[in-house]
Amino acid sequence: MHCTRKVTDNLYWVGANEHRLALFENIHPLTKGVSYNSYLLLDDKTVLFDTVDWSVCRQFLENVAHVLNGRKLDYLVINHLEPDHAASIDEVLLRYPEVKLISNEKAFMQMRQFGFNIDERYEEIKEGDTRSFGKHTIAFVYAPMVHWPEAMVSFDTTNGVLFAADAFGTFNALDGVLFADEVDFDRDWLDEARRYLTNIVGKYGPHIQALLKKATPLVPSIKFICPLHGPIWRKDFGYIIEKYDKWSRYEPEVKGVLIIYASMYGNTESAAVALATKLREKGVKDVAVRDVSSTHVSWLISETFKYSHVVLASVTYNLGIYPLIHNYLMDMKALNLQQRTFAVIENGTWAPKAGGLIREFLDKELKQITVLGDELTINSSMTEEKDVELDSMADSIVESLKG
Ligand code: FEO
């Protein structure tokens, strides 16, 4: 059974929702699914923009056939070749023997690498090229590394639709929603949009910045932003563009404190919660406490992009950093996280080492960071004396938040 929605005159969403996938890219947990968006334009020629993951190909094909309503498919524009959007290209080629693929040189090279049988049915475009399909003229703009090297966006100069590839995407299935203004995006979707962006494309902040700069002249003409995941934007462009601008500059969204702890028997957890309590008592409104052992690192990364201050509290494990804290630190480095203020708490019963090693990692591996004071060392459990030290750590965080 088809399941489609009209975006605007002659343009339809023909994508599909995925609910059964547990891990996106086989690593990031999905709790409310994900959508793979594809769009079909009916002009003198029919033009499909991107395909979907293989897992939802059947639904997608039914959608395309329904909207085509007996017409043939003339063109398939490929903005991004990652298989969650491109895996169904072969199936489209099989079902629509007259279709011609439109994309750039790198994308066609990757299609051959993936073993797609594109034979002669392709048309290579270059940056800035345009193609007319009747009333609609599409301009192609390269967007390298947002999120793969071949990525590009396509802009319909006739109706102001920007096919934005991975940019402005988010986790969560659409389940009937099409436009961001149909939901309370800030309340219900923003955290997943940040988790998607920071974990999937976070490393490539400068490339997102380059795309935003390139797209600036288009902004007054943009009427719809159609990403490959999540809802379409048709208003409040400033809201989502500002978020993307901040995340890709690695600027915190809020002045607040994220406390991440690793605790084997609850003593380091007590210190983390005690610190959160002190910060609240001292008037800090935005404080989050997360257990590294029960919070997937993708959420930790997302919240690290959100908050200005991060406290890392770790037990010592095998004379080193607790493995899950180490994994989180490595992810921060891989995703280019920078411009944050840290404080460090370590715990160890006979040889506390985690704090010094965390500090060394932060100093050496992350850019433009500040570490407040020395690490606070706990020997097994909190004491009255350590509580005084924890209080001064809270004071220095509060002072730093004023800056
Ligand atoms: Fe949703 Fe980079 O693919």
Side-chain angles (χ1 to χ4, degrees), residues 241-258:
I241 289 172
E242 194 217 325
K243 296 291 182 197
Y244 258 69
D245 185 41
K246 266 211 164 113
W247 297 332
S248 57
R249 285 179 196 277
Y250 306 99
E251 283 179 12
E253 244 174 286
V254 300
K255 281 201 167 190
V257 186
L258 172 64

Side-chain angles (χ1 to χ4, degrees), residues 264-285:
M264 292 159 64
Y265 298 106
N267 292 296
T268 312
E269 178 182 3
S270 292
V273 174
L275 179 63
T277 308
K278 287 175 188 299
L279 289 167
R280 292 270 181 196
E281 275 176 352
K282 291 172 193 293
V284 181
K285 287 194 171 62

Side-chain angles (χ1 to χ4, degrees), residues 24-25 34-36 80-85 146-148 150 165-166 196 200-201 228-229:
F24 188 80
E25 294 186 347
V34 68
S35 74
Y36 306 110
H80 182 24
L81 206 81
E82 192 166 8
D84 56 334
H85 309 294
V146 187
H147 135 230
W148 279 15
E150 85 302 343
D166 270 347
Y196 170 82
I200 308 297
V201 201
L228 286 175
H229 302 285

